[in-house]
Amino acid sequence: MVWLVLMVLPVLVVGLVARRAVSFAWLWAGLAWLAALGWAADWAPALTVLAMAAFAAAMYVLRNPALRRRWLTAPVFALFRRALPTMSQTEKDALEAGTVWWEGELFAGRPDWAKLAALRWPQLSAEERAFVDNDTEELCRMVRDWDCTRRQDMPAEVWAFIRARGFLGMIIPKEYGGKGFSALAHSEVITRLATRSSTPAVTVMVPNSLGPAELLLHYGTPEQKQRYLPGLASGREIPAFALTSPWAGSDAASIPDAGVVCRGQWNGAEVLGMRVSFDKRYITLAPVCTVFGLAFRLYDPERLLGGDEDVGITCALVPRDHPGVDIGRRHAPLDAVWMNGPVRGKDVFMPLEFIIGGPAMAGQGWRMLMECLAAGRSISLPGSNAGMQQLTARAVGAYARVRQQFRTPIGRFEGVEEALTRIGANTYLSDAARVLTAGALDLGEKPAVVSAIVKYHVTERARQTVNDGMDVIGGKGICLGPQNFLGRAYQQIPVGITVEGANILTRSLILFGQGAIRCHPWVLAEMDAARGGDLEAFDRALWGHAAYTASNAARALVMGLTGSHFVRVGADVAPETRRYYQQLTRFSAAFAFLADLSMGILGGALKRKEKLSARLGDILSLMYLASATLKRYEAEGRQAADAPLMHWAIWDCMFRIQLAFEGVIANFPNKLAAALLRRVVVFPLGHPYVVPSDQLGHQVAALLIEPSPTRDRLTAAVHLPQDVDEPLGALEAALAATLAAEPVEARLRQAEREGRFSPGVLASGDVDEVWRRARDAGVIGAEEYALVERRNRLRDKVIRVDDFPLDFGLAEALGAASAGRNPGRNPTPAP
């Protein structure tokens, strides 16, 4: 009986902790258990009463705020304040920037799936849809990527079209002459353009992302808005934003560019201003900009502004033709054509009115950048990289059906299927994350952590997708030219990996490092209370944190032991996805406990444990990507034909989550805690997920190599030229011709196997001679031969690669240029 009562205790504790029971429930449950133990163990009544009294006294202290703060919280408070590292204003601004959205639910261990289900899947307005389908399509038709490469610029008529149709002012409100489009519309335009060429995509992307327009909208003075926004909206003004320094890339808060408050001459009068020295590089649109934003650290040694000597990072808006500004020569970022280059200046005097928001916003630049960065980073790179993935899925899928080896379309080989599977599933997942995140922005969120998640993971999966595509098309992909539909994307994919926060540092320092403070329901409150010396606030946060941690540990244990089969999803979801929601709930609780344990044991050292931090960030990120994938599946009507894409993407996420958990646990400094985590809390019954099955992968690959509504939904943003002289146009026509000719080819092969037809010796070197002989032998008819002949002609166009003169035409081009400068002189002939 004693052992039975003792065995009840852990079950009772786990149940109370998991349900976050109130203190009264703990009090009565504890008293009842002690009474039962005293009875079962035959204790003296006095001993039983004494034990119950001691427990009641302890509970009284815990329930009495004044006593609890004095005897329990105050010592912890003192230790916490001593251990809390100092934080600069720029670090504080970065941590407090933006909002916490769905990632907060995942971090806290209790995702409310009903909340996700209630979110409206973003949709374009009629005006936005017309702009995407008409203006953006027209821009795509006007651009030839290889032509831009040879010119190293877009044609003048393309630049004029971009300006005239308002592509540079999509985020600017209509009252200033802009489009006033949603974040989703901005994302859709960038995604569509990226399927055609990076040149217009980046040219349009930058003015609508982090830059002068967005900063002016949020912080500009009325005069600044009236002066610049109409020009930016119409394209009369071309903006750039100069942030990155040669000495401070990802560590942008440490920019050495500096300004000093002083008096100087401006427009014929002496005014209070700044003398600024700066050296910036990698500045997109700098070579063609008319105005640029500039970030620098401002100092006021004479206290002319009346504040501190170190004012802080400041953002100013500077005309290109301002005296002392030097727009340097162009960079060539992996031979991309969009404009990029340095901006420099030495002791450039600027009036204080150049500061975005005026003198009152001096020193507020870092907060401004951090608050706006989430929006731009959530749209620009996810959109452009999702576009490259959709292009790859459409084009490479078609190529894999058209191209044959060993008398079989290469898309039928399991090795190629493996690459096609990743291409399809990664494209489905990445676009789901892109749309869901754009929708969050349109709801008024500024999700700083989510923006880092989608920037990192969409660009990384785009790298995998494009690499897989290059593996499939082989030699076709490595010869650049107008017929190569993937080579330029392959060249430029590292750009997205590098810009707006290098991916290595984003993963190892930001995803969990920032998420642990921003998404955690108690940590930021504890830090603020400690810094402010507020014992009462700290007391509330500390004990709320303790209950939160214990609850997540208990829930993770229970869900692990039961396989999460009894988890209530709380939303109307597709039956085929219910287990995913249950497992994600389990992983969320386990992650929340693991994150708390890591911060508790490692403390400030966790910041230096970048590999552990990166793996914790992987778990949070993959849960978000899985959530986006599930939301997309529901929002698109639970399309059964699309289910293989969803299933493979979710299984891949779940398997990677397991690997990330194992990576943290295996490298956890405290081995006892690691063993308990693995065997008791996280994986008490082993790992529920393995790699996605080959059969599922086969189903995904099959969706890419033939036309279907699923393929159209997966690649909905891709610009599809109708001209068969264009690579993608030829691929689409060749795919249709291949499908039409396949029954004819099957009949020919059957005739060969049955001995009714033998092509004999084919010594002509013509791979299509067999079809002429089959027609002449009556094995296939004239109409069937016409189908095959059209297929063969389009196939040859698709597999063709470009060739050039020995010097790639340089002598002819240079000769023409020389003749243009010296009329009457004959151009140098090409060898």
Side-chain angles (χ1 to χ4, degrees):
M1 185 61 72
V2 172
W3 283 108
L4 181 61
V5 174
L6 290 174
M7 290 170 62
V8 167
L9 180 61
V11 177
L12 181 65
V13 170
V14 168
L16 290 169
V17 170
R19 298 184 66 84
R20 296 191 186 179
V22 297
S23 56
F24 268 118
W26 280 94
L27 175 62
W28 293 114
L31 292 175
W33 183 82
L34 285 170
L37 180 62
W39 169 78
D42 199 22
W43 286 354
L47 180 59
T48 303
V49 170
L50 180 62
M52 294 172 67
F55 177 75
M59 289 300 299
Y60 177 76
V61 172
L62 284 173
R63 293 191 67 250
N64 186 293
L67 294 176
R68 185 181 65 231
R69 286 197 293 269
R70 180 187 302 173
W71 293 345
L72 299 176
T73 306
V76 178
F77 185 58
L79 289 172
F80 192 89
R81 295 191 71 185
R82 285 198 295 269
L84 192 65
T86 58
M87 182 181 295
S88 67
Q89 187 60 44
T90 53
E91 290 177 308
K92 192 172 186 295
D93 288 342
L95 283 174
E96 294 178 353
T99 60
V100 177
W101 187 56
W102 178 247
E103 75 279 20
E105 295 276 337
L106 296 169
F107 200 103
R110 288 178 178 264
D112 184 352
W113 298 111
K115 183 182 294 186
L116 182 67
L119 286 175
R120 179 179 172 273
W121 191 246
Q123 300 290 334
L124 297 177
S125 68
E127 181 187 3
E128 292 169 342
R129 172 53 63 191
F131 188 83
V132 172
D133 290 343
N134 299 321
D135 300 72
T136 309
E137 272 292 292
E138 180 62 25
L139 177 54
C140 287
R141 285 190 288 270
M142 295 176 69
V143 174
R144 298 289 187 277
D145 195 52
W146 186 251
D147 179 53
C148 291
T149 300
R150 301 292 285 177
R151 292 170 176 266
Q152 284 299 297
D153 195 1
M154 294 183 295
E157 59 269 21
V158 175
W159 274 105
F161 184 86
I162 287 173
R163 289 184 168 104
R165 296 300 179 92
F167 279 93
L168 303 183
M170 290 190 293
I171 67 168
I172 296 175
K174 291 183 178 181
E175 63 187 278
Y176 296 106
K179 295 291 183 183
F181 280 171
S182 65
L184 178 65
H186 177 193
S187 177
E188 290 287 335
V189 170
I190 299 305
T191 304
R192 179 72 58 91
L193 292 175
T195 71
R196 184 63 165 165
S197 169
S198 69
T199 308
V202 175
T203 301
V204 170
M205 177 175 77
V206 169
N208 291 286
S209 297
L210 175 64
E214 187 172 13
L215 292 170
L216 283 172
L217 285 171
H218 287 92
Y219 309 105
T221 65
E223 294 77 15
Q224 289 172 336
K225 291 178 181 180
Q226 289 296 336
R227 177 182 176 187
Y228 284 109
L229 288 179
L232 291 168
S234 67
R236 296 194 310 274
E237 300 277 9
I238 302 294
F241 192 83
L243 173 62
T244 305
S245 160
W247 301 276
S250 293
D251 184 17
S254 298
I255 52 175
D257 313 280
V260 176
V261 178
C262 61
R263 295 191 177 277
Q265 292 295 316
W266 175 248
N267 288 339
E270 184 179 82
V271 299
L272 193 61
M274 313 163 287
R275 196 164 298 282
V276 188
S277 295
F278 52 96
D279 186 353
K280 305 289 190 177
R281 65 181 180 186
Y282 312 141
I283 310 306
T284 302
L285 296 187
V288 295
C289 75
T290 61
V291 62
F292 61 93
L294 177 67
F296 57 95
R297 183 171 290 277
L298 182 63
Y299 296 94
D300 186 10
E302 298 181 37
R303 309 293 175 98
L304 297 175
L305 298 180
D308 296 333
E309 182 176 342
D310 184 355
V311 178
I313 292 176
T314 300
C315 292
L317 202 55
V318 186
R320 173 196 180 98
D321 58 3
H322 187 72
V325 170
D326 174 24
I327 303 292
R329 301 188 301 173
R330 285 178 68 178
H331 297 316
L334 294 177
D335 206 26
V337 177
W338 35 270
M339 296 293 176
N340 189 278
V343 178
R344 305 183 184 95
K346 180 68 173 176
D347 292 331
V348 178
F349 181 78
M350 305 174 188
L352 291 179
E353 66 187 55
F354 277 22
I355 297 175
I356 297 176
M361 295 302 291
Q364 301 300 309
W366 190 244
R367 177 173 63 84
M368 295 160 57
L369 293 172
M370 290 298 99
E371 289 179 352
C372 291
L373 181 62
R377 195 161 52 179
S378 296
I379 296 173
S380 54
L381 292 172
S384 58
N385 281 263
M388 283 191 280
Q389 290 188 79
Q390 289 194 38
L391 170 66
T392 304
R394 186 92 187 188
V396 173
Y399 187 88
R401 186 64 172 266
V402 172
R403 185 77 161 102
Q404 290 191 359
Q405 296 283 274
F406 309 105
R407 292 186 170 184
T408 304
I410 62 173
R412 303 281 191 204
F413 291 99
E414 287 199 355
V416 174
E417 270 193 352
E418 194 172 21
L420 290 175
T421 298
R422 287 192 298 267
I423 291 172
N426 280 333
T427 300
Y428 185 86
L429 175 147
S430 295
D431 210 53
R434 172 187 72 87
V435 175
L436 181 65
T437 307
L441 298 177
D442 286 329
L443 291 173
E445 301 287 345
K446 294 183 179 180
V449 176
V450 163
S451 73
I453 288 174
V454 292
K455 187 275 175 183
Y456 172 79
H457 283 277
V458 174
T459 57
E460 286 294 338
R461 286 180 186 254
R463 170 155 58 181
Q464 176 73 71
T465 296
V466 174
N467 282 348
D468 281 332
M470 289 290 285
D471 285 349
V472 172
I473 65 177
K476 169 76 175 180
I478 64 173
C479 293
L480 284 175
Q483 298 304 312
N484 190 329
F485 53 84
L486 203 56
R488 299 292 285 154
Y490 180 75
Q491 276 185 304
Q492 294 168 32
I493 202 75
V495 175
I497 303 295
T498 303
V499 302
E500 291 192 14
N503 275 10
I504 287 178
L505 295 182
T506 297
R507 176 174 177 258
S508 59
L509 294 178
I510 295 176
L511 295 180
F512 182 76
Q514 186 174 13
I517 297 175
R518 290 295 285 125
C519 299
H520 197 289
W522 299 107
V523 167
L524 189 58
E526 289 170 329
M527 293 173 62
D528 288 342
R531 288 199 173 91
D534 190 339
L535 178 60
E536 184 175 342
F538 184 81
D539 178 76
R540 288 193 300 270
L542 175 66
W543 295 103
H545 191 163
Y548 159 86
T549 302
S551 174
N552 283 323
R555 291 175 59 250
L557 171 61
V558 171
M559 286 187 282
L561 289 172
T562 60
S564 69
H565 284 284
F566 302 104
V567 173
R568 294 181 60 187
V569 174
D572 178 23
V573 299
E576 62 269 28
T577 64
R578 181 168 295 276
R579 287 292 295 140
Y580 298 144
Y581 289 95
Q582 291 177 322
Q583 291 282 22
L584 279 172
T585 300
R586 171 194 168 183
F587 282 152
S588 175
F591 167 75
F593 177 66
L594 179 59
D596 266 329
L597 197 65
S598 300
M599 289 187 286
I601 291 177
L602 295 173
L606 182 58
K607 185 177 181 179
R608 297 186 295 275
K609 296 285 186 181
E610 294 179 18
K611 296 175 186 176
L612 284 179
S613 180
R615 295 180 186 114
L616 289 165
D618 288 343
I619 299 171
L620 178 63
S621 300
L622 290 163
M623 289 193 294
Y624 179 79
L625 297 178
S627 300
T629 303
L630 291 168
K631 178 63 179 175
R632 174 179 183 173
Y633 184 71
E634 290 288 339
E636 294 183 348
R638 305 177 184 178
Q639 299 285 344
D642 298 1
L645 295 163
M646 177 273 296
H647 284 302
W648 201 97
I650 295 294
W651 272 85
D652 180 61
C653 284
M654 297 296 201
F655 182 67
R656 293 187 189 211
I657 288 171
Q658 285 182 172
L659 291 179
F661 268 119
E662 278 293 345
V664 175
I665 294 170
N667 293 280
F668 209 71
N670 188 309
K671 298 306 176 185
L672 176 60
L676 290 172
L677 281 168
R678 178 181 288 111
R679 301 301 179 193
V680 179
V681 178
V682 183
F683 299 120
L685 299 181
H687 300 113
Y689 283 93
V690 295
V691 294
S693 71
D694 291 344
Q695 179 58 35
L696 181 58
H698 170 76
Q699 295 172 20
V700 172
L703 294 172
L704 267 63
I705 62 175
E706 63 182 59
S708 69
T710 292
R711 182 170 178 261
D712 291 340
R713 281 189 293 270
L714 182 67
T715 60
V718 176
H719 169 71
L720 295 174
Q722 301 302 309
D723 187 354
V724 296
D725 287 331
E726 294 231 25
L728 196 53
L731 272 168
E732 289 291 299
L735 176 60
T738 296
L739 294 173
E742 281 181 352
V744 183
E745 186 163 10
R747 188 175 301 117
L748 174 63
R749 303 308 176 203
Q750 183 66 25
E752 286 184 295
R753 287 192 294 270
E754 293 174 354
R756 294 185 292 109
F757 171 70
S758 175
V761 178
L762 298 172
S764 67
D766 185 350
V767 296
D768 296 328
E769 176 66 22
V770 64
W771 298 105
R772 287 189 288 273
R773 294 191 183 185
R775 178 197 59 190
D776 296 342
V779 175
I780 60 174
E783 291 184 2
E784 293 172 318
Y785 177 76
L787 287 175
V788 173
E789 194 276 334
R790 173 173 167 76
R791 187 278 308 270
N792 294 345
R793 180 162 41 85
L794 289 168
R795 174 207 63 200
D796 292 346
K797 181 181 286 288
V798 163
I799 66 176
R800 184 183 71 196
V801 298
D802 299 285
D803 51 47
F804 303 92
L806 184 64
D807 69 339
F808 294 99
L810 289 175
E812 182 178 359
L814 291 172
S818 177
R821 289 192 301 270
N822 299 281
R825 179 178 174 181
N826 293 326
T828 304

